[in-house]
Amino acid sequence: MPPISPEYFSNSVKLKHVKLGYQYLVNHILYLLSIPVMVGILIEVLRLGPDEVLSLWRSLHFDLVQILCPSFLIVFIATVYFMSKPRTIYLVDYACYKPPVTCRVPFSTFMEHSRLILKDNPKSVEFQMRILERSGLGEETCLPPSIHYIPPKPTMEAARGEAELVIFSAMDSLFKKTGIKPKDIDICSAGLISIDLARDLLQVHPNANAVVVSTEIITPNYYQGNERAMLLPNCLFRMGGSAILLSNRRSYRWSAKYRLVHVVRTHKGADDKAYRCVFEEEDKEGKVGINLSKDLMTIAGEALKSNITAIGPQAFEHFCIHAGGRAVIDELQKNLQLSAEHVEASRMTLHRFGNTSSSSL
């Protein structure tokens, strides 16, 4: 595949502006049409003198037909407007999975296991130790039970066990916080991209609830080889999960934590470097792992720049930086010229839970 040209990215950003402008036009068409009409009427009234205004008022004949026709027209226009207006989507509440104490991996435990698993390659053990020391992770991050075995047991059964533990626990916590029951859920999906999907579905299903669950299973991705780029995920990624309740029910208007205003997604997968910057593959010995490219930070920075360019005109008031690693937070703090206080929440999330990937998003 040929490299993507700068003109392509520039055009894609312009198309996003066109799309966002079109959405704004459709959402506010009634206001935009009524403003020039009202301004025109006001100008004409101001041109008339007091006597002319009084004479015009007296000349009007308010019979039943003249009153009902305009009233019917106003009611009809208002009905069409409110029926076509996009429904307001609320983020009612959310819940995060908190692993049990038995899943915690202090540095000493992690390194002891690494020495036993990689006993034939002490350089790889030393490399993991250096990564941990610079990672920004604390002593309370967690790995799934199957990774605590020596050697680890990354089986499909263990992966299903982790998925059930994380997902069901997060959903149970969400149901407890919101007071809703599983039967009250009309739509259920997974992953960050599903926010967009849930929003679209809630536009066509009135008085509905949607649950979005986000997690990435660690069990099958623990690498037991010697490739350094593939050892990085062992040190950085930890287990976690989240579940959020979205709803278009008006009853949540005052109790919901947030209101979904805009969804702007930027995708760089068409670029080969971006496509392969986080890539699952086999090493020379046939051992499967996740390869983190050296270009990862550069690619993430370019994606962020394109995304902010598109979302900037929407005027955002707050930001929340993904706790994807110390290097990620450092780079965003530098490029966005943020203070230490601005990124403190993300650093502490990373310290306590590690990079839980999509669930932390």
Side-chain angles (χ1 to χ4, degrees), residues 66-76:
Q66 288 175 321
I67 294 174
L68 288 180
C69 287
S71 300
F72 175 77
L73 182 62
I74 292 172
V75 171
F76 176 74

Side-chain angles (χ1 to χ4, degrees), residues 298-317:
T298 303
I299 292 163
E302 291 175 356
L304 180 65
K305 190 180 297 183
S306 298
N307 191 260
I308 287 181
T309 301
I311 204 174
Q314 303 299 331
F316 54 88
E317 299 175 1

Side-chain angles (χ1 to χ4, degrees), residues 256-277:
K257 287 185 177 292
Y258 304 102
R259 179 169 60 89
L260 182 60
V261 181
H262 301 291
V263 178
V264 178
R265 294 192 287 114
T266 300
H267 198 286
K268 296 287 188 179
D271 183 4
D272 277 354
K273 285 186 177 180
Y275 178 73
R276 296 189 64 88
C277 67

